[in-house]
Amino acid sequence: KTLIKDLAAEGRTVLLSSHLLAEVEDVCDRVVILGDGKIRAEGRLDDLLKAREGLQMTITDMTPERAEDFCRQMEAEGAHVELDRPSMTLEAFFLATIKRTRKS
C-alpha cells in the first residue's frame, strides 16, 4: 500500500488489479469494475460510492418534533433543506453493480 501511495504522490499512474476491494478502496482514487469481460462502472472512487438510491436529509438546530412538522410543511416554510446521498463501500458498490448488470 505504501509503495502505491508513494508512486501516486509522485504523480505516477499505477494500474492495480485485485479482488481485495477493501485494499483497493484504501489506495485508489479511480476505479474500473469489469464483469463478464465488459466495463460495468468507472470513475472517481468518491463519486462511485455515493449511493444512487435513497436520500438523506440533514436538519440542524431543530427538535425531532419540529423536524416532523417541517417535513410536512417544507415548501410552505421556504426553508433550505440540503439533500445528500450516503456513501457505501467499494465492495457494496461492486456487488450492486454486478447484480444490476446481470439483470439487464
Side-chain angles (χ1 to χ4, degrees):
K1 283 189 200 181
T2 302
L3 175 60
I4 292 170
K5 288 181 180 182
D6 288 348
L7 291 170
E10 293 174 7
R12 295 181 187 214
T13 299
V14 177
L15 177 62
L16 172 68
S17 175
S18 178
H19 289 90
L20 303 174
L21 299 180
E23 301 293 321
V24 171
E25 193 170 353
D26 283 345
V27 297
C28 296
D29 58 355
R30 294 187 54 80
V31 173
V32 174
I33 293 180
L34 301 173
D36 298 323
K38 297 178 183 172
I39 294 176
R40 301 301 183 174
E42 65 180 303
R44 295 196 50 78
L45 190 61
D46 53 348
D47 292 336
L48 294 176
L49 299 185
K50 293 280 184 182
R52 303 288 189 256
E53 298 171 6
L55 296 173
Q56 177 178 323
M57 183 186 307
T58 302
I59 301 174
T60 58
D61 300 325
M62 190 178 283
T63 65
E65 296 80 21
R66 179 70 181 112
E68 288 179 23
D69 184 50
F70 172 79
C71 289
R72 287 188 290 272
Q73 301 177 8
M74 174 163 60
E75 290 180 10
E77 296 278 331
H80 174 75
V81 176
E82 187 174 319
L83 296 176
D84 195 10
R85 297 184 183 280
S87 292
M88 63 175 79
T89 65
L90 179 57
E91 186 167 355
F93 177 78
F94 172 82
L95 292 172
T97 299
I98 295 302
K99 183 177 180 181
R100 182 175 54 250
T101 58
R102 286 196 174 151
K103 287 182 180 179
S104 54

